[in-house]
Amino acid sequence: MNRFVIADATLCIGCHTCEAACSETHRQHGLQSMPRLSVMRSAKESAPQLCHHCEDAPCAGVCPVNAINRVEGAVQLNESLCVSCKLCAIACPFGAIEMSGSRPLHIPANANSPKAPPAPPAPARVSSLLDWVPGVRAVAVKCDLCDFDESGPACIRTCPTGALRMVNSLDIARASKRKRELTLNGDYGDFSLLNLKGGAK
């Protein structure tokens, strides 16, 4: 049974608190500090985009070193095993995997050996899939549901409007059943996951 975090765009105010909480929580645990979610905006709404922890997990299927595995209903990525091939980010249908990287401690940017020519300046930023920085190894990062924290995902705990919540396969099945019932009855009201907390009767 897969589980993942969803957002209610009607409650999200686009404050980016979830991104900051995600970044800081992972940094404190020695992981890449890049946020595992990204707040997207349209003309009228905003909501964070997160990993859906897919049942078939195409990212895990293409990983050549088995750095991505299903653990207790969630798709987890082991940053220590990542070899920077970027195949998982390319395979993800939701664009929920980004590439990040950190420079070794105490080594300044553009540090050069006297026996080697200086590194070229870093090119202009395009995207995490195309960017490269001399001396920095790219590492794939994706939502891990803060599996290392007993209190659960930091984004859910810190969202000031309660726009984020965890759902699982049973919630999806109940929402789908309720949607079919409403369609059969000719009632095309709001049948989003967040408004079906009671599930189908």
Side-chain angles (χ1 to χ4, degrees):
M1 179 188 304
N2 68 321
R3 52 199 172 92
F4 56 96
V5 177
I6 62 170
D8 185 346
T10 63
L11 295 177
C12 178
I13 57 174
C15 65
H16 298 274
T17 301
C18 53
E19 289 183 4
C22 179
S23 175
E24 182 60 16
T25 299
H26 285 85
R27 187 192 66 77
Q28 289 177 355
H29 285 83
L31 299 168
Q32 295 293 327
S33 62
M34 181 178 219
R36 271 73 174 160
L37 68 171
S38 178
V39 175
M40 311 297 284
R41 292 178 176 274
S42 69
K44 297 181 179 177
E45 296 178 327
S46 63
Q49 171 67 43
L50 300 99
C51 173
H52 291 214
H53 295 269
C54 307
E55 288 285 356
D56 58 346
C59 57
V62 299
C63 181
V65 293
N66 294 321
I68 305 175
N69 294 285
R70 179 171 295 284
V71 180
E72 297 179 0
V75 179
Q76 302 290 358
L77 187 154
N78 185 335
E79 293 181 9
S80 299
L81 297 178
C82 178
V83 293
S84 313
C85 70
K86 304 183 180 180
L87 289 175
C88 57
I90 294 169
C92 177
F94 301 105
I97 299 180
E98 294 279 350
M99 304 304 292
S100 181
S102 358
R103 189 180 304 280
L105 293 177
H106 311 303
I107 297 181
N110 297 319
N112 302 298
S113 161
K115 304 204 180 283
R125 178 170 169 75
V126 178
S127 79
S128 65
L129 284 178
L130 300 174
D131 294 347
W132 64 274
V133 178
V136 177
R137 181 175 70 92
V139 177
V141 294
K142 66 175 287 301
C143 173
D144 51 14
L145 300 177
C146 294
D147 193 51
F148 47 79
D149 194 332
E150 293 179 358
S151 9
C155 56
I156 294 177
R157 296 195 317 266
T158 57
C159 180
T161 61
L164 297 167
R165 79 176 186 112
M166 182 93 73
V167 295
N168 58 34
S169 299
L170 293 177
D171 296 317
I172 302 296
R174 279 196 290 265
S176 180
K177 181 179 179 183
R178 180 69 175 146
K179 181 177 179 179
R180 288 192 301 273
E181 289 175 352
L182 290 171
T183 303
L184 285 173
N185 296 332
D187 179 0
Y188 303 106
D190 186 0
F191 39 73
S192 67
L193 285 173
L194 290 172
N195 291 317
L196 290 176
K197 293 178 182 174
K201 301 285 192 230

